[in-house]
Amino acid sequence: MATKFWHPFADMRAVLRSELVIARGEGCYVWDDSGKRYLDAGASLWYCNIGHGRSEIADAVAAQMRTLEAYSTFGDLTSPPVNELTDRLSMIAPVPGSVSFLTSGGSDSVDTAVKLARRYHTAMGRSDRTFVLSRSRAYHGMHTAGTSIAGISANNDGYGKLLTDTALVEWDSHDSLLDAIERIGAERIAAFICEPIIGAGGILAPPPGYLEKVRGICRDTGILFIADEVITGFGRTGMWFASQRWNLEPDLVTCAKGITSGYLPLGAVIAAPHIAEPWFAGDAGLWRHGYTYTGHTTVAAAAIANLNVIQRENLLAEANRLETQLAAGLGPLAAHELVSEVRCGVGALAAIQLAPEAFAENPQLPDLVNAALRKHGVLSRILFGNAVQVSPPFVMTESQVTDLAEAVRASLDDVA
């Protein structure tokens, strides 16, 4: 029977011919409905940091649902898990004493951060600051704001102009940021949003000194610096946040994914104290923004249980271990005839770049490689620019890294 599920980011004509049903998961593995096992090289969609099948998350969720499944947090309402979670986030945030606005996911968080950046400047008497700058190859979700500031052009093609007052700069050039500021005028720019490591755009680490330079530019010009840590947050780079690895002290942090390891949908915007001050201590009044599930009680309980696992099992250190082991295991693949580069060296992230000349010779190469990976028991996906995504759960062992490298090599050999 043809599926009635409209898949995201999918060619539905292809899906109708073949739909892969994932039925269960444990640790770094998932199984399809026929019983075939796959090594989960992408932690699903970047998010399953603690691995699949953790019963204590299920137990925490079940216990909370038996007590109180959810309740609105509009106005002065809250619940114990929400207060506990936001206290925990304040303790691990890049800027001490930060406060968190909870959302349902990364796209929500980006839209929230863009609105908050503009609203903050208005509260401070700078209502002309409306522009939001973003980078080429960047991905910031698919809500209205994220689509408007997309650095991957295919993600905003065909929608017409959504947000006005946006501009792209080159992902690896602080001079490009300076040029945009000079062209637009700093007095008109609300924020610059920046993934510390570009994710969907190809897993691109920042050039040496780049992040420090753009952060300094934002400070000097009064432009808010938004660190988009939807992918990098909660340990992916070996620290709670990538912003801490580069001492960025962002004004706002967008996050999601690893906050619950995907066990339930949750996101957050973490605001530094000076951003919250006009509402918490000043006279900015009511911020008319929020979602039905902002501060969902059971989801907050899942997040707390997830953070407990990360801390108890020291999974930040495990992400650092994977930084070395992924480089050792996958690095030699750079010599393969279908590969031009292997990018790794920043936490539990790597990308195997398919050679441009091989793609030019056969435009079906990415699909063929992805199919071969599945044949050899690996689930991943092809990122923008034809790179194989590697972002495993932090619990991946050294022997599983070896298995992954061998499977990738066998897949490339099959296609070659």
Side-chain angles (χ1 to χ4, degrees), residues 101 103 105-114 143 230 254-256 267-269 291:
F101 187 97
T103 73
S107 294
D108 279 3
S109 295
V110 169
D111 267 34
T112 295
V114 168
H143 286 356
V230 170
T254 59
C255 56
V269 175
Y291 303 102

Side-chain angles (χ1 to χ4, degrees), residues 79-92:
S79 66
V82 169
N83 283 354
E84 181 179 349
L85 174 60
T86 51
D87 283 348
R88 292 277 290 275
L89 293 178
S90 184
M91 288 188 288
I92 64 175

Side-chain angles (χ1 to χ4, degrees), residues 224-296:
L224 299 188
F225 184 88
I226 304 173
D228 186 342
E229 299 229 29
V230 170
I231 287 172
T232 54
F234 304 99
R236 181 59 61 184
T237 66
M239 303 188 78
W240 281 113
F241 294 93
S243 292
Q244 293 159 330
R245 186 162 177 154
W246 283 280
N247 297 313
L248 298 178
E249 297 185 343
D251 300 295
L252 295 168
V253 177
T254 59
C255 56
K257 297 189 186 293
I259 193 172
T260 63
S261 287
Y263 279 71
L264 284 175
L266 179 65
V269 175
I270 302 174
H274 66 277
I275 299 297
E277 193 274 338
W279 288 273
F280 279 63
D283 57 1
L286 175 68
W287 184 30
R288 291 190 172 275
H289 180 74
Y291 303 102
T292 297
Y293 299 120
T294 292
H296 189 285

